[in-house]
Amino acid sequence: DVKVTQSSRYLVKRTGEKVFLECVQDMDHENMFWYRQDPGLGLRLIYFSYDVKMKEKGDIPEGYSVSREKKERFSLILESASTNQTSMYLCASSRNPGSLYGYTFGSGTRLTVV
Amino acid sequence: AQKVTQAQTEISVVEKEDVTLDCVYETRDTTYYLFWYKQPPSGELVFLIRRNSFDEQNEISGRYSWNFQKSTSSFNFTITASQVVDSAVYFCALSVNTGGFKTIFGAGTRLFVKA
């Protein structure tokens, strides 16, 4: 069963902390994505990557960075967590962006910054 | 700019009722892809369907059906004879290639199906 695995389901961090959200996929997909989900706003793209060591800014990259050292792993980094980054974070992957089967999503990490 | 609008924030129906979830999109691209995803309480979005902009043929899959109309920029989703297990948040999404493919999601429609 193919999967996208996010390392934590729930996280509570303090303001100013550096936070790492990890995502691993086992489908050999080239494309990986980080979204945040907020009520009434749907999913908003933070960063995406088409290949190892490549990254592209999405619609709301401010306050975030990413790392993709290996094809299967795409990490989202909050350099200095703030309360407005409290959200559900969703990782996704696809073989190609217009994939017939869409994206495969992880179960999400609910991050609370206090 | 691209945009996806799901005007219905929440819908509540009784089991066995039919329900239609609306989706209106905006794009100037002639080539694009439309998707529907389901997010059950477990949180993981599940892909339901993809349509490309050149294929306006409607599709039926069991109790699910999709109506794609380019003339009104709509891609509506109908569940026939709804069941409690259909309770979830449903997202409509649009993918376009603007310096790399990006997928834009609507705000989602939360569907409650009561027994």
Side-chain angles (χ1 to χ4, degrees):
Chain A
D1 195 19
V2 294
K3 272 193 170 180
V4 174
T5 303
Q6 294 184 232
S7 55
S8 303
R9 188 83 168 107
Y10 298 95
L11 273 179
V12 180
K13 296 292 182 179
R14 295 193 180 277
T15 300
E17 275 193 74
K18 189 169 186 176
V19 180
F20 293 86
L21 303 184
E22 305 289 345
C23 175
V24 177
Q25 51 97 1
D26 63 2
M27 296 163 285
D28 200 34
H29 284 172
E30 287 77 20
N31 307 283
M32 296 188 75
F33 308 85
W34 274 105
Y35 286 88
R36 63 176 282 177
Q37 180 181 2
D38 299 288
L41 296 177
L43 279 70
R44 292 179 293 167
L45 181 63
I46 305 171
Y47 267 97
F48 58 106
S49 169
Y50 289 144
D51 202 350
V52 177
K53 297 193 186 290
M54 292 185 66
K55 60 184 179 183
E56 298 284 344
K57 292 181 180 179
D59 298 318
I60 52 164
E62 296 77 21
Y64 303 95
S65 63
V66 291
S67 172
R68 194 164 181 202
E69 296 296 320
K70 293 184 178 181
K71 190 176 187 179
E72 66 270 18
R73 186 180 298 269
F74 192 36
S75 303
L76 180 69
I77 304 158
L78 286 66
E79 297 292 341
S80 178
S82 64
T83 55
N84 63 13
Q85 292 178 309
T86 292
S87 187
M88 170 71 89
Y89 290 88
L90 294 167
C91 177
S93 74
S94 72
R95 186 164 301 282
N96 57 64
S99 170
L100 178 63
Y101 300 106
Y103 292 173
T104 302
F105 280 87
S107 297
T109 296
R110 186 166 293 281
L111 173 67
T112 302
V113 182
V114 298
Chain B
Q2 291 76 33
K3 188 177 179 182
V4 176
T5 301
Q6 294 181 256
Q8 304 148 310
T9 305
E10 289 186 0
I11 301 175
S12 184
V13 300
V14 176
E15 213 171 16
K16 298 184 183 177
E17 281 187 35
D18 298 347
V19 58
T20 295
L21 310 181
D22 297 332
C23 174
V24 174
Y25 63 92
E26 295 176 30
T27 181
R28 292 184 178 179
D29 290 64
T30 55
T31 300
Y32 53 88
Y33 302 91
L34 295 165
F35 301 82
W36 276 96
Y37 288 86
K38 174 182 180 180
Q39 185 181 40
S42 62
E44 186 172 321
L45 271 80
V46 176
F47 165 83
L48 295 178
I49 191 171
R50 181 194 89 150
R51 263 288 173 264
N52 72 55
S53 52
F54 300 108
D55 181 6
E56 282 193 79
Q57 185 175 4
N58 293 327
E59 181 156 338
I60 298 174
S61 176
R63 296 184 296 106
Y64 294 171
S65 62
W66 291 270
N67 180 259
F68 175 27
Q69 292 194 348
K70 288 179 75 170
S71 60
T72 56
S73 297
S74 65
F75 186 44
N76 297 337
F77 173 29
T78 297
I79 302 174
T80 302
S82 60
Q83 299 176 2
V84 172
V85 294
D86 295 326
S87 296
V89 181
Y90 291 87
F91 290 95
C92 181
L94 166 70
S95 281
V96 294
N97 191 356
T98 53
F101 264 102
K102 288 168 58 173
T103 300
I104 302 98
F105 286 78
T109 297
R110 184 177 295 275
L111 174 65
F112 295 98
V113 181
K114 296 178 284 188

